[in-house]
Amino acid sequence: MISANLSAIFYLASGVLFILALRGLSSPETSRQGNLFGILGMIIAITVTFLSTGNFSTGFIFVLIFILAGGSIGAFIAYRIPMTAMPELVAGFHSLVGLAAVFVAISAFLNPEAFNLGTPGNIKLGSLIEMSIGAAVGAITFSGSVIAFLKLQGIMSGSPITFKGQHPLNAIILMSIVVLIYLLCSTQSSNLFWILLAVSFLIGFLLIIPIGGADMPVVISMLNSYSGWAAAGIGFTLENTALIITGALVGSSGAILSYIMCKGMNRSFFNVILGGFGATEDATSNSTKEQRPVKSGNADDAAFLMKNASSVIIVPGYGMAVAQAQHALREMVDTLKKNDIKVSYAIHPVAGRMPGHMNVLLAEANVPYDEVFELEEINNDFANADVAFVIGANDVTNPVAKTDPQSPIYGMPVLDVEKCKSVLFVKRSLSPGYAGIDNDLFYKENTLMLFADAKKMTEDITKNL
Amino acid sequence: MEIDPLIFRLSIFILSIFVGYYVVWSVTPSLHTPLMSVTNAISSVIIVGAIIAGLSGNSDNVFNTSSIFGFLAIALAAINIFGGFLVTQRMLAMYKKKKKGK
């Protein structure tokens, strides 16, 4: 058994290692080392906890069994999961953090002596407040992430679910959570604790159902942030520095990612959270479309255009992930490079279903990361490029965001694809994108639509090159 | 008058938020997905609370209501720790630079 002071120092060390883990992600070269720091920090935290309890009886064996059981499930998932399913995986993992926070809070509430928090029915006020906040945020994280997971997995429809009085209802529930925490702290009633958990689960569910599929990057980032705050709340209860530091890091990390994603769509955070985006636009756009002529082509035409180009910019989007076309795309690019054509990739901040989704898929397909550029880095290059190859993206290329103040996506930063000499659009149909608006780019003189499955089309083009 | 230890913890918390703010802004956008999976893994350090909860039963009776929740939380957090770090490792291993002279 080691002293409380010594273990506090070790917890601090593991907190510092976690900071270094995130710091490592500033560049791909240092990132792997960063991950090792994170693992080391975790090992220190767990070992110190064992040493500080000094309990190596039967209970210890069971703890090890549960760690190994959970660990093998986790390892199995980590090795088996396809990279395209990363958003679902992360949402699923968030839900587990949330639920674990809830369980720890329940355990501490039922048996406060084990945590030095007082006795049942007479828990220290500060601890009770921290505990109930941690539990409530954990519960919201859990149910919210479950919904996000179901939507991403396609088990639940990705379209927003809205009903009348939704926002007032949510506001009432959120206020009731505050009231419940207040009452719980003044009465210490265990019934109120259970009601608080139930209501928090409910609000997590209600908060996420109105948010549509393409807003998932914001939702996942937000839930990431919540899982951090939940951990921090529990960290305060347990007076554990490692948990407090980590909670704060994760909380701010998720908040920053949400901010970046919102900025990528030029929408306020509240606009996204209130949800319902894209649900009402279809009616207006349907009337004008279909009448305008589009040029559509086949793989042969596309191959011809690209063969005669000297530089090509590829714009991947969620459709590429759905079609699992990243490997086929890389093969196409390899062939282009053999013909001395310069190829780069342009990634919009909100392409895909989570921050950095496209980058991971391209990395999986062995695309070197120094050929992949962010919006600001590459947007000026479109004007000098010969061909833009848009694969599975739509709204993020729509020039209407720059020209039409009436449009729901007006002001959103978009890739200046239309400035290219010619644009190739791989898409299954002319249907509007997530925002429900028509893309003018489809009807431009220099646009060639390639109606097909993204993967099949890329493979066909490669054959024709 | 002594300062409540809570104030120290609050200081650590606030300062860590700032550290997090600057560290996360320096993360390159192409690594945002690994960032999420690694933050997921490290937030599972909540397992330390779960372990304390799991060990709260006495040696005659390892399982009481409180410790059962602790054990469940241990399993959940362990899924996340192993899954989170390993999947991050797997992703980061894929990020490669252009091979020179190819």
Side-chain angles (χ1 to χ4, degrees), chain B:
Chain B
M1 206 179 118
E2 241 182 283
I3 300 173
D4 190 325
L6 176 68
I7 303 301
F8 288 118
R9 285 191 284 276
L10 200 62
S11 322
I12 294 173
F13 180 63
I14 303 288
L15 292 175
S16 303
I17 292 178
F18 278 92
V19 171
Y21 179 86
Y22 289 106
V23 169
V24 172
W25 270 117
S26 74
V27 171
T28 164
S30 66
L31 292 176
H32 276 162
T33 299
L35 171 67
M36 300 203 91
S37 61
V38 84
T39 50
N40 221 313
I42 64 173
S43 58
S44 304
V45 72
I46 201 157
I47 197 169
V48 301
I51 292 173
I52 298 172
L55 290 176
S56 63
N58 52 38
S59 42
D60 309 323
N61 183 16
V62 177
F63 292 102
N64 56 44
T65 330
S66 164
S67 74
I68 287 172
F69 276 111
F71 283 120
L72 291 176
I74 290 173
L76 295 177
I79 295 180
N80 250 331
I81 293 172
F82 283 75
F85 281 126
L86 289 174
V87 87
T88 310
Q89 196 73 11
R90 209 182 122 198
M91 272 191 269
L92 293 176
M94 299 184 317
Y95 283 81
K96 292 186 195 83
K97 241 187 155 136
K98 203 180 330 194
K99 283 194 200 88
K100 293 274 149 64
K102 193 183 150 183

Side-chain angles (χ1 to χ4, degrees), chain A residues 24-47:
Chain A
L25 290 172
S26 56
S27 101
E29 285 107 73
T30 54
S31 61
R32 285 173 278 264
Q33 189 195 25
N35 200 38
L36 294 178
F37 282 137
I39 296 173
L40 183 63
M42 189 60 74
I43 294 173
I44 292 177
I46 294 176
T47 315

Side-chain angles (χ1 to χ4, degrees), chain A residues 51-369:
Chain A
L51 292 176
S52 65
T53 58
N55 176 349
F56 292 101
S57 59
T58 343
F60 176 68
I61 309 290
F62 279 102
V63 171
L64 286 186
I65 292 174
F66 276 90
I67 291 183
L68 284 179
S72 18
I73 298 173
F76 178 77
I77 299 173
Y79 281 114
R80 292 295 301 276
I81 192 92
M83 285 298 143
T84 39
M86 210 43 74
E88 292 94 302
L89 179 75
V90 169
F93 278 170
H94 286 155
S95 74
L96 299 183
V97 179
L99 197 58
V102 172
F103 284 171
V104 173
I106 292 177
S107 181
F109 185 78
L110 294 176
N111 188 2
E113 286 115 327
F115 297 87
N116 289 324
L117 305 175
T119 53
N122 190 19
I123 300 172
K124 281 187 277 179
L125 179 65
S127 311
L128 192 56
I129 298 174
E130 293 150 6
M131 194 190 293
S132 43
I133 293 176
V137 179
I140 295 173
T141 312
F142 172 71
S143 54
S145 302
V146 168
I147 301 298
F149 175 81
L150 294 177
K151 284 194 173 199
L152 287 164
Q153 188 76 295
I155 298 173
M156 202 173 143
S157 154
S159 54
I161 299 171
T162 47
F163 53 88
K164 232 182 152 194
Q166 193 165 28
H167 300 320
L169 177 71
N170 289 350
I172 291 171
I173 296 178
L174 282 173
M175 274 187 285
S176 78
I177 287 180
V178 177
V179 175
L180 276 167
I181 292 179
Y182 175 78
L183 290 176
L184 172 64
C185 292
S186 50
T187 63
Q188 304 250 353
S189 145
S190 59
N191 284 339
L192 284 174
F193 184 73
W194 300 118
I195 296 174
L196 173 69
L197 285 182
V199 172
S200 306
F201 280 127
L202 178 69
I203 189 70
F205 169 78
L206 287 172
L207 280 175
I208 308 301
I209 54 166
I211 306 180
D215 284 340
M216 280 301 148
V218 181
V219 171
I220 297 189
S221 314
M222 185 183 82
L223 292 166
N224 184 240
S225 179
Y226 286 179
S227 69
W229 304 130
I234 303 294
F236 274 100
T237 320
L238 305 181
E239 310 184 344
N240 183 308
T241 339
L243 253 177
I244 295 176
I245 296 178
T246 317
L249 289 178
V250 178
S252 52
S253 160
I256 291 172
L257 289 176
S258 320
Y259 170 79
I260 296 176
M261 294 301 114
C262 286
K263 218 176 113 221
M265 296 191 289
N266 189 40
R267 292 170 59 201
S268 76
F269 186 66
F270 284 102
N271 181 295
V272 175
I273 296 310
L274 293 178
F277 190 68
T280 51
E281 313 290 341
D282 300 83
T284 47
S285 60
N286 279 345
S287 51
T288 51
K289 94 179 185 208
E290 311 295 351
Q291 293 146 11
R292 290 197 277 170
V294 290
K295 277 201 294 189
S296 81
N298 57 28
D300 207 12
D301 307 326
F304 177 78
L305 263 172
M306 284 204 264
K307 229 189 289 182
N308 291 310
S310 61
S311 71
V312 174
I313 298 180
I314 297 182
V315 181
Y318 182 58
M320 180 188 82
V322 176
Q324 305 256 16
Q326 65 271 32
H327 298 281
L329 182 66
R330 214 271 337 280
E331 278 161 30
M332 185 188 92
V333 170
D334 284 349
T335 323
L336 288 174
K337 281 194 202 150
K338 271 186 211 133
N339 292 318
D340 281 327
I341 298 165
K342 187 176 166 282
V343 186
S344 36
Y345 300 80
I347 304 211
H348 191 275
V350 294
R353 285 291 184 264
M354 76 183 294
H357 192 185
M358 291 299 121
N359 304 77
V360 170
L361 294 182
L362 292 177
E364 187 198 11
N366 279 321
V367 173
Y369 61 81

